[in-house]
Amino acid sequence: MMARPYCVALLLLAEVFGLGDGASNPGCVARITRKGLDYAHQYGVAALQTELSTIKLPDLSGSFEVGWIGSVSYEFTSLRIPSFKLQNSDLTLHPGQGVRASLSNTYVSVRGNWKVQKSFITLKGTFDLSVYRISISVSLKMNKDHYGRPTVSVAHCSNSIGHVSIDISGNLSWLLNLFHTRIESNIKNILNQEICKMVRKSTTSYLKPYLQTLPVTLMIDQVAGIDYSLVGSPQVTSQDLDLPFKGEFFGRSQHSPVPFDAPSIRLPQKHEHMIYFAVSDYVFNTASWVYYQAGYMNFIFRNENIPQDAPFHLDTKSFGAVIPQLARSYPNMELELEVSPESAPFLTISPRNVTLVPVMNIQAFVLLPNSFDRKTLFLLKARINISATINVSSYRIVGSLTPGSKLKLELKHSNVGSFNVELMEVILNFYTSKIIYPSINAKLKEGFPLPLPKDTFFNSLEIQICEVSEKWGLGGLLQGWIHQGALNSQLHHRPNFHRKLFFEFWCIMGEESSGGK
């Protein structure tokens, strides 16, 4: 799941605890199943094997007695590890206790040079050392800091070493005795210390900094940002690992809380895919609330905004066909329309579709010549049913809107007498389709980023909205999934570890009737 496989392994070996008491509901949840953990575990073990091969062994020297020869000095130098084979790895999940990895029947080989000296006589050569039946047990403690960022530390690391054998160049049985009586125990002690030291070093040097690349807040534009802090510590169950993200938009100029809560997210008890990812409608509705509060859902139509080849222009001549009094009272003058929603429009998720039903006020003005003044003409109340499409592109959630129905108008007030509202609907529906929808969809096409660590991207993602499933315990929540998805890990410094991790479930969740409380 992460860009560096050794970071993947250490993260997924993490000993994690349940959600903290009093934690608020998350806006989105990432679930890594046992299948995903096993997948990442394989590549993590391979990366850890490479790291362990870099263990540096110190030179060994001293003296010992050899029968009638007397005291002989020795040196074992240039010790290096050409091979460190991690085998028989196993990953176990313990609800309430954590995720632990164990490796058994591990093998390591050590090569180096030896030299013995007695007075003016010097003998030297090379040796190959093999260490068998190494067992390693690792668990990490993963939590969150007060900023909502993930933290990790080694909770437990232990290892044991079994049989050691050596092949020394030359027929020197007394040198073999030296090894077994003096050097073997030193090599075992060094490896015992260095193996867990390397695990801790990898955690501190690689995993911990990399976890900090998981975004806590991201700035979307000059208006809004999104809060991806963890609302609770990661939660481990017997089959998966859940990461609860806040998933809340906030205003950059005024970071005030939204007036509604996130619904409870309960992912379906399915485990055949590697990753399940749920996004509540809370995420989208907080975005709507923030942009509404900032006034960025208000539109002002002027004549220069209308295409030159449009059949209707914003002037009293065009609108005179609908409102005869307008052309008589204000001949050859330009108009201005102000469109603003009565409240922040919220998504409504129903089987097989996602809709919005915004209610808008449309205020019309005439621009008086030779002045900056304007006169109020009429006020309309507009309703429209809009269909929303949600998708994922690379690492961003994107969307688009299409009309689900024609704009329906209600005349609330008029200073130019009554007029044919149905004809006015034709004009404003044209403006809506040619100006408002393209403007909004251009913004929605930019989307907003997902909470992914550095150098991690999605591709080939497909989203579907499906029926409510009571047996999943979702009640009024709806969900959909991603088929044939993949995550590309763009690996830094380790191109040989470039892999794809399949994301085969995506969940869009929401209450059937969303809105403020």
Side-chain angles (χ1 to χ4, degrees), residues 119-424:
S119 300
F120 57 88
I121 300 175
T122 299
L123 300 175
K124 58 184 178 181
T126 61
F127 72 90
D128 289 283
L129 178 148
S130 299
V131 185
Y132 302 96
R133 297 197 306 274
I134 300 176
S135 297
I136 305 172
S137 176
V138 179
S139 66
L140 305 179
K141 179 180 179 180
M142 188 176 175
N143 213 312
K144 70 180 186 76
D145 61 21
H146 64 283
Y147 294 108
R149 295 179 302 209
T151 61
V152 64
S153 59
V154 175
H156 168 79
C157 179
S158 63
N159 58 272
S160 62
I161 297 177
H163 175 65
V164 179
S165 66
I166 188 170
D167 180 19
I168 294 179
S169 60
N171 186 17
L172 301 170
S173 58
W174 53 269
L175 188 56
L176 289 174
N177 291 332
L178 163 66
F179 169 77
H180 287 299
T181 57
R182 298 290 184 92
I183 310 303
E184 178 180 350
S185 61
N186 287 336
I187 294 292
K188 282 185 176 182
N189 290 336
I190 292 169
L191 287 175
N192 270 325
Q193 296 172 17
E194 292 297 324
I195 289 174
C196 282
K197 184 185 294 184
M198 185 59 68
V199 170
R200 290 185 171 87
K201 177 184 176 184
S202 297
T203 302
T204 302
S205 302
Y206 301 117
L207 177 57
K208 190 174 180 179
Y210 190 74
L211 285 178
Q212 298 301 300
T213 70
L214 196 67
V216 174
T217 57
L218 290 170
M219 297 302 114
I220 307 302
D221 51 28
Q222 72 274 19
V223 178
I226 186 168
D227 186 343
Y228 276 132
S229 59
L230 293 175
V231 297
S233 299
Q235 183 179 27
V236 65
T237 68
S238 60
Q239 299 187 68
D240 44 51
L241 171 68
D242 288 356
L243 297 169
F245 299 99
K246 189 171 187 178
E248 180 181 297
F249 276 75
F250 60 87
R252 296 185 64 173
S253 61
Q254 185 177 3
H255 197 159
S256 57
V258 295
F260 50 90
D261 297 326
S264 176
I265 294 179
R266 293 180 61 189
L267 283 168
Q269 295 303 308
K270 291 178 173 288
H271 308 282
E272 63 269 24
H273 302 306
M274 293 182 182
I275 300 293
Y276 290 72
F277 197 91
V279 179
S280 166
D281 62 356
Y282 176 79
V283 178
F284 306 104
N285 290 337
T286 60
S288 180
W289 170 261
V290 167
Y291 284 98
Y292 168 76
Q293 289 293 310
Y296 270 70
M297 291 187 174
N298 300 336
F299 291 87
I300 296 179
F301 289 98
R302 297 187 176 93
N303 207 35
E304 60 263 27
N305 304 129
I306 309 303
Q308 290 295 319
D309 57 350
F312 312 106
H313 288 271
L314 267 177
D315 53 40
T316 56
K317 180 180 179 180
S318 293
F319 277 68
V322 180
I323 312 173
Q325 183 179 332
L326 184 62
R328 292 193 299 268
S329 301
Y330 304 99
N332 300 317
M333 296 185 190
E334 292 190 357
L335 303 180
E336 186 175 88
L337 299 178
E338 289 187 359
V339 181
S340 59
E342 286 191 347
S343 60
F346 290 133
L347 287 177
T348 299
I349 299 179
S350 58
R352 289 177 289 278
N353 59 29
V354 181
T355 59
L356 301 94
V357 187
V359 178
M360 299 171 290
N361 291 318
I362 302 176
Q363 185 88 44
F365 303 89
V366 61
L367 303 181
L368 301 178
N370 303 320
S371 75
F372 295 102
D373 197 9
R374 61 182 187 173
K375 292 287 187 179
T376 302
L377 299 177
F378 54 83
L379 173 64
L380 297 168
K381 187 173 185 177
R383 295 177 184 271
I384 188 171
N385 188 294
I386 300 173
S387 294
T389 300
I390 302 171
N391 214 323
V392 178
S393 175
S394 184
Y395 62 97
R396 304 179 75 86
I397 294 181
V398 297
S400 63
L401 302 179
T402 55
S405 67
K406 295 294 185 181
L407 189 73
K408 302 300 292 183
L409 299 178
E410 175 188 351
L411 182 61
K412 303 296 291 182
H413 175 75
S414 175
N415 293 329
V416 288
S418 61
F419 54 86
N420 191 321
V421 174
E422 287 76 13
L423 288 177
M424 183 65 70

Side-chain angles (χ1 to χ4, degrees), residues 40-77:
H41 176 66
Q42 295 174 23
Y43 293 103
V45 167
L48 185 59
Q49 178 173 282
T50 302
E51 294 295 327
L52 290 173
S53 296
T54 65
I55 290 177
K56 296 186 181 301
L57 300 175
D59 293 344
L60 302 173
S61 62
S63 62
F64 68 107
E65 297 293 327
V66 182
W68 57 270
I69 297 177
S71 179
V72 176
S73 62
Y74 65 86
E75 292 181 10
F76 282 74
T77 59

